[in-house]
Each structure stands twice: as C-alpha cells, then as structure tokens.
Amino acid sequence: MKTLLIHTGGTIGMVATDAGFAPAEGVVEGFLAAHAPDTVDLCLLSPLIDSANATPADWDRIAATIADQYAAYDAFLVTHGTDTLAYTAAALCFALEGLGKPVILTGAMLPLTVEGSDGGQNLLDAIVAAHGAPAGVWVQFAGRLLHGARVRKSHSRALDAFAADPSDIAPRRLGDTLLRHTTGPAKTAFLSVAPGVPTDLFQHAAETCDGLILRCYGSGTAPGTPGLARALATARARDIPVLAVSQCPEGGMVLGTYAAAAILLDHGVVDGRDMTVEAAYAKLAYTLAESPDPATRRAHLERSLCGEFTP
Ligand code: ASP
C-alpha cells in the first residue's frame, strides 16, 4: 500500500515568526520521517502557503499532482490550511471525475511545532483513513472522516473545527477512468443579501461577472427590491448562472416555501438546495470552465455530481 502525501502548507506545518504563524519547510517532513518513513512518500507544493492565499489554480495544481501520480499510488493525502480546506475538498470532488482511490485532506488548528498540537493525531488518522476509506475525497479531522463536498469549517478556534452533513452518496464523480477537470479564468461574485444592503454591487457583478453565488436568507428568501430585481434580470439577460444557497449553515434552501422567494424564482436562479457555500463556489468554478453553453451549465449546476446536495 503506497500513499502520496501532498503538502500544501497550513497551520500543521507552520512555525512561529514575528508576524505570527507562517508555513515552513521541514515540519511535516520531520513528522513523516519519524512516524511513517516507509509507507508515505511526500510531495511539497512549493511555495507552502497559508490557505488564505489559495486560489483555484492551487486546486488545479493539487488535482494535477494526483492525476500525474495516480497509477503509482493507492491513496493520496493532502495537508492543507484549515481556512480554505473545505473549498479545496469540494473542488477536488468536482475536478477528479472517475476517482477510484481515497483522497484524504487534513490539517491542524495548532502547528506540529507547538505543544498540544492536533496535527500529529490528525495526520496519523488520515494515514489510517487512506488505507480504509472508500474511494472519494474525504476530510479527516478531529477523529472524524467527513464528506469532501459537504464539509465546512464551522469553528475558528476549536480543535474539532469541521462539520459536514452526512450523505449516502460518495464524495466522487462517477466514471470508469480518471478524468481531470480544470478551472478557467471565469469571474465569480459572492454576494450576500442583508437588510437594506445596497444593490449597486449586485448590479455591477451582474454586468461584469461570468457567474454569481447568491447567499439568501433561511430556506431561500431575498428582499424583493427593484435593485435586486434589476441585477437578477441583468444576469438572466446575459445568460450567466446565479446559484443560490442559504446563509444558514444547516438545513439549506427549500425554495418556494415563502412568497418572498418569488424574486428568486421569477429570475431563474438555480436552487443550490443544501449545498455549502464552499461547494457552491467550487462547483460554479468548474461548471463555468466545463461548458460555455448556458443550458448545459444550468443542467450541470442542477445535478448532484458527488453528493454535494441532498437530491
Ligand atoms: N490560516 C491557516 C491556514 O488556513 C489556518 C489553519 O491552517 O488552521 O492556512
């Protein structure tokens, strides 16, 4: 059983500096050399980053590394900063169609270089999960194995920092052989409704972006203002997708429950159901890259690809 660990950075491999914790080479390497010298190979994605600096290009780089090394390994580990780990986990679910091996992401809330770090246990648990988990993209954290397309960072300080709604659908796009999808240069806006929020920015985004994520209230309502209606009408006229998700971390949207959903239904927004904002953002990025055709994009967004929403 051979496993490749792709180290991208994040708290797990950080050291204290005058400016705060920062990634450093040698930390994760040292831990592996001491604890799993023979079974896990290591690949550093230099430069190591705080995941606050991750971009879709980094998702593509991780996916490309897995695809390039696919035949040589039985499983893959990714050590990653926790701040955007959920985005990357979802992105890998969408990027790796036909994935037939486990890909386990993990990280830490405290660096391996700090007393009481959770990093060692998380990494050892991830190595065990790499041996036993079903094919798909999973997050191993604080003793739990979580669905890669449903996971979210739910606590900024607790060691048990991640949550995920369960799913019966494995976190992978089905396919006979591995097919890697990439993101493109598309511009996506992330817009949140709020009481009295000015809609000029929504309008600007509708005029200039390739796709919008709209974070709605509760089960799927939004203010029925002329400004929001104009922005959504602009998006529709330009044939760009508007993917709506709930601001509530749990439960998701049930569009149409309230009459105040009319503004969304009338303008053809795509119902993101109970997708996390992280999965919605990653799914839109891959959808925009996969087809230029508005109808195909819509169908793609409305279909569950890897259990990212409850069908
Ligand atoms: N800022 C860090 C990162 O996301 C937080 C962490 O890893 O826990 O890289």
Side-chain angles (χ1 to χ4, degrees):
M1 172 90 191
K2 284 207 70 162
T3 305
L4 179 66
L5 189 157
I6 303 165
H7 180 40
T8 66
T11 293
I12 190 165
M14 288 191 181
V15 294
T17 73
D18 290 345
F21 289 124
E25 291 193 10
V27 180
V28 168
E29 298 89 312
F31 184 88
L32 265 195
H35 294 91
D38 302 325
T39 51
V40 181
D41 290 346
L42 182 68
C43 163
L44 288 197
L45 281 199
S46 290
L48 300 176
I49 56 169
D50 187 303
S51 77
N53 292 315
T55 68
D58 293 297
W59 308 341
D60 286 343
R61 224 149 60 99
I62 299 166
T65 306
I66 292 170
D68 289 349
Q69 301 294 329
Y70 194 67
Y73 292 94
D74 303 297
F76 298 86
L77 299 168
V78 179
T79 37
H80 197 288
T82 61
D83 288 341
T84 64
L85 186 148
Y87 290 89
T88 299
L92 293 177
C93 290
F94 299 121
L96 298 170
E97 184 172 339
L99 178 67
K101 301 179 181 185
V103 174
I104 315 289
L105 287 88
T106 195
M109 297 299 283
L110 291 172
L112 284 165
T113 51
V114 164
E115 176 135 2
S117 170
D118 52 333
Q121 193 58 54
N122 283 347
L123 192 44
L124 292 175
D125 288 348
I127 292 170
V128 172
H131 284 74
V137 181
W138 305 92
V139 173
Q140 176 70 46
F141 216 93
R144 289 184 301 147
L145 189 68
L146 304 167
H147 192 288
R150 300 193 56 91
V151 70
R152 60 183 187 277
K153 186 172 179 180
S154 57
H155 204 293
S156 62
R157 286 175 291 116
L159 298 186
D160 190 2
F162 287 87
D165 289 336
S167 172
D168 294 338
I169 304 168
R172 65 193 186 109
R173 287 172 77 170
L174 297 180
D176 295 334
T177 50
L178 189 71
L179 171 65
R180 181 171 75 88
H181 298 276
T182 57
T183 57
K187 267 170 74 178
T188 303
F190 215 123
L191 305 167
S192 245
V193 298
V197 71
T199 49
D200 324 27
L201 274 178
F202 289 64
Q203 182 62 32
H204 179 71
E207 286 170 12
T208 58
C209 289
D210 304 302
L212 313 180
I213 304 282
L214 188 64
R215 298 190 66 215
C216 302
Y217 297 129
S219 58
T221 60
T225 60
L228 183 58
R230 194 161 80 86
L232 293 177
T234 302
R236 195 172 205 185
R238 291 186 58 232
D239 252 339
I240 63 166
V242 180
L243 178 55
V245 289
S246 176
Q247 294 177 7
C248 294
E250 287 173 43
M253 312 238 297
V254 189
L255 258 190
T257 307
Y258 293 97
I263 186 164
L264 305 170
L265 294 167
D266 290 350
H267 291 92
V269 304
V270 180
D271 184 355
R273 307 190 201 200
D274 59 353
M275 240 190 302
T276 63
V277 289
E278 294 90 340
Y281 187 74
K283 186 173 184 180
L284 187 55
Y286 284 95
T287 300
L288 292 173
E290 276 178 42
S291 170
D293 174 52
T296 307
R297 286 175 167 179
R298 187 177 185 96
H300 200 255
L301 289 171
E302 285 179 338
R303 203 169 60 234
S304 166
L305 302 177
C306 49
E308 70 274 21
F309 59 71
T310 309

